């Protein structure tokens, strides 16, 4: 009952906030209610957000990357909108899978966890995913976990059998309200339920597991053991964010049973609403089938980044709405690279225009120079897209609409201070919007150097420093060949000049002569 009342109350509060102009109409699809809702934080101007992290027993795959990139972009947008956001993402650093991996690798369990946490950071930083404000680990919250379990036992929501403690699902009548699963057969389908005839109900789930000989263990009122999977997130949310938080997020595969179980144990313990907005990103599929390690159809971030630039991977993940599935293959990643190339070529063209000396006559095509023109329209539509349940796909589309208009403007050969002022403003708005999503965040030359590396134009890379910028030996060779070609042109040795251009083109380098200089780019 309190969930329905709270939902109505928040809708009323949202209308009041909008009427008072305090909060714009940002809408979020709430998995709990199955509809888009106007977002009104529990405390005005502040957001508490928790995202389920990874179980660190292996390297991350592209499915992990999607969740991390999506909620990183959403966090960045909240901050862009002026919210003070406390963003927490956990590590599950004790689990059956970690124990099994430790045995197979001949390492202590905690060394396995540290190894893959380090690898997680390497992958995510390359994808432009910022660290959370706090990144707690399950093993750092054993005290809090035990306190919650004790409280659940005392309230009649949990019971102990031979050192194991289970949550009693029938004791929580609202169980199933997130996933919509109410019947036992629906709950059992796809649930990670351990078969144990000692349980009072097949759906009861482990809060505490007694440890077998040789396994890691912590002391508890029920004997040595370790926490179950679900209880750790409740403990970390309660400790670091509070009993009721604004947003809890994760992949759609976590809706049931993980998030359903979190709700049950948390609300049974506190007797308060646990989460006000539940957000879940869609699956990545391969041949229309969900990507997962259990099916063996997954691709690690590491192997993907050997063939594609990290920015292309991030763009690929954001070009689809976060709740929709993404079909993974090489083709859309290649398309993302071409999209980036289009952006950076346009940005280079814009930069070249801004560096030109001012002309004698003012010239400015209509559309940019009035208050309702292209730039103002872009800002409005970008915000509208992101306010509509974080539609990054549409927001990126608006970025390219602005790029199209910038190129149309430059095609008209504008001149004068006013034209430069308009283009400077357009560039500023373009990069600000791109920065919100953390894409298109390099210079055109930085993008080309990245392509040199990722496309393996350089058979053997030798990093050197030139003017405080790390580049490759072959890049210096490119500049040397361009200089040699320029000398050949000056001496009218056209055959040599053409031979240098042809040689570079064979190696994947395209030369472009413009404004008295020669630029190069990688052919993709």
């Amino acid at each position: 009952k309190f969930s329905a009342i709270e939902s109505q109350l928040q809708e009323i509060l949202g209308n009041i906030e909008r009427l008072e102009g305090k909060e714009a109409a940002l809408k979020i699809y709430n998995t709990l209610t199955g509809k888009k809702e106007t977002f009104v934080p529990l405390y005005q101007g502040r957001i508490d957000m928790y995202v389920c992290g990874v179980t660190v027993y292996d390297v991350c795959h592209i499915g992990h990357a999607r969740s991390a990139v999506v909620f990183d972009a959403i966090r960045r947008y909240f901050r862009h909108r002026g919210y003070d956001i406390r963003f927490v993402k956990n590590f599950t650093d004790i689990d059956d899978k970690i124990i099994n991996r430790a045995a197979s690798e001949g390492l202590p369990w905690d060394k396995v966890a540290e190894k893959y946490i380090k690898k997680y950071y390497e992958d995510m930083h390359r994808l432009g995913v910022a660290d959370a404000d706090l990144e707690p680990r399950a093993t750092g919250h054993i005290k809090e976990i035990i306190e919650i379990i004790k409280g659940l036992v005392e309230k009649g929501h949990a019971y102990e059998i031979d050192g194991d403690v289970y949550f009693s699902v029938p004791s929580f009548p609202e169980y199933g309200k997130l996933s919509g699963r109410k019947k036992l057969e629906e709950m059992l389908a796809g649930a990670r339920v351990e078969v144990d005839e000692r349980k009072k109900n097949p759906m009861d789930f482990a809060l505490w597991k007694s440890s077998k000989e040789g396994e890691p263990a912590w002391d508890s009122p029920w004997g040595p053991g370790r926490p179950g999977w679900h209880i750790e997130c409740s403990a970390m949310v309660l400790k670091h964010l509070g009993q009721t938080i604004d947003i809890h997020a994760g992949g759609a595969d976590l809706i049931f049973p993980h998030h359903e179980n979190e709700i049950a144990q948390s609300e049974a313990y506190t007797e308060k609403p646990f989460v006000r907005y539940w957000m879940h990103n869609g699956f990545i599929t391969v041949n229309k089938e969900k990507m997962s390690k259990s099916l063996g159809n997954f691709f690690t971030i590491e192997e993907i980044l050997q063939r594609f630039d990290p920015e292309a991977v991030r763009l690929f993940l954001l070009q689809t709405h976060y709740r929709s599935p993404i079909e993974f293959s090489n083709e859309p990643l290649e398309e993302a690279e071409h999209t980036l190339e289009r952006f950076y070529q346009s940005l280079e063209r814009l930069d070249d225009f801004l560096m030109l000396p001012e002309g004698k006559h003012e010239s400015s095509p209509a559309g940019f120079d009035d208050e309702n023109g292209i730039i103002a329209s872009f800002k409005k539509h970008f915000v509208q897209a992101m306010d509509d349940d974080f539609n990054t796909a549409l927001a990126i589309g608006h970025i390219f609409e602005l790029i199209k208009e910038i190129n149309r403007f430059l095609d008209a050969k504008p001149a004068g201070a006013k034209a430069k002022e308009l283009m400077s403003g357009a560039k500023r708005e373009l990069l600000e919007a791109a920065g919100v999503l953390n894409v298109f965040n390099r210079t055109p030359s930085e993008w080309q150097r990245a392509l040199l590396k990722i496309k393996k134009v350089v058979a053997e890379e030798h990093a050197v420093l030139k003017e405080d910028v790390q580049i490759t030996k072959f890049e210096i060779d490119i500049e040397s060949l361009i200089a040699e070609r320029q000398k050949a042109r000056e001496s009218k040795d056209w055959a040599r000049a053409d031979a240098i251009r042809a040689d570079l083109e064979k190696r994947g380098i395209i030369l472009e002569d413009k404004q008295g200089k020669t630029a190069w780019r990688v052919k993709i």
Side-chain angles (χ1 to χ4, degrees), residues 272-488:
K272 294 181 179 180
F274 180 43
V275 175
R276 299 173 60 243
Y277 301 88
W278 284 93
M279 299 181 66
H280 295 93
N281 64 274
F283 296 126
I284 288 186
T285 59
V286 178
N287 296 324
K288 308 300 181 184
E289 190 172 39
K290 176 196 167 188
M291 179 186 293
S292 70
K293 288 184 178 179
S294 62
L295 294 174
N297 63 346
F298 68 96
F299 298 86
T300 68
I301 297 172
E302 184 178 28
E303 63 187 3
I304 292 169
L305 294 185
Q306 290 174 355
R307 295 179 288 121
F308 296 97
D309 181 77
E311 190 177 11
V313 177
R314 186 178 177 98
L315 182 62
F316 158 71
L317 294 171
L318 293 176
Q319 282 183 306
T320 299
H321 189 277
Y322 78 91
R323 286 190 289 113
S324 299
I326 297 179
E327 177 69 12
F328 180 84
S329 67
N330 286 341
E331 287 74 13
L333 282 166
E334 290 167 354
E335 289 173 9
E337 284 185 335
H338 285 286
T339 299
L340 285 163
E341 177 71 2
R342 177 185 164 200
F343 177 89
Y344 285 116
Q345 283 194 34
S346 297
L347 183 60
E348 185 174 35
R349 186 185 184 199
L350 178 56
D351 287 341
D352 288 344
F353 170 75
L354 293 174
M355 292 177 65
L356 286 173
E358 293 182 9
K360 295 181 180 180
H361 305 288
E362 293 286 336
S363 174
S364 177
F368 273 84
D369 53 355
D370 61 77
E371 61 181 11
N372 297 315
I374 300 299
I375 298 175
S377 177
F378 165 72
K379 291 173 66 175
K380 173 184 175 182
H381 288 122
F382 179 84
V383 170
Q384 285 178 341
M386 292 299 290
D387 276 357
D388 184 15
D389 194 30
F390 311 101
N391 193 337
T392 56
L394 184 57
I396 291 169
H398 289 314
I399 287 175
F400 278 90
E401 281 298 316
L402 180 57
I403 283 286
K404 177 181 176 182
E405 293 300 330
I406 287 172
N407 281 316
R408 182 181 68 82
F409 182 93
L410 297 177
D411 288 342
K413 308 296 183 185
K418 179 63 176 178
K420 283 195 172 184
E421 181 183 340
L422 291 170
M423 284 296 95
S424 181
K427 179 183 177 181
R428 183 172 57 252
E429 295 300 333
L430 187 69
L431 296 184
E432 181 178 346
V436 171
L437 303 177
N438 201 21
V439 291
F440 313 127
N441 53 12
R442 292 179 281 192
T443 65
S445 61
E446 287 170 342
W447 163 246
Q448 289 302 321
R449 286 201 295 271
L451 277 181
L452 266 182
K453 183 175 181 179
I454 206 70
K455 291 304 177 185
K456 301 191 184 301
V457 175
V458 189
E460 183 178 354
E461 182 181 328
H462 301 284
V464 296
L465 289 175
K466 181 181 180 183
E467 297 176 358
D468 297 325
V469 178
Q470 184 168 307
I471 57 179
T472 64
K473 182 178 184 298
F474 185 52
E475 186 175 344
I476 294 177
D477 291 342
I478 295 172
E479 298 294 347
S480 299
L481 287 168
I482 288 174
E484 182 182 343
R485 176 174 174 269
Q486 182 60 29
K487 289 180 181 178

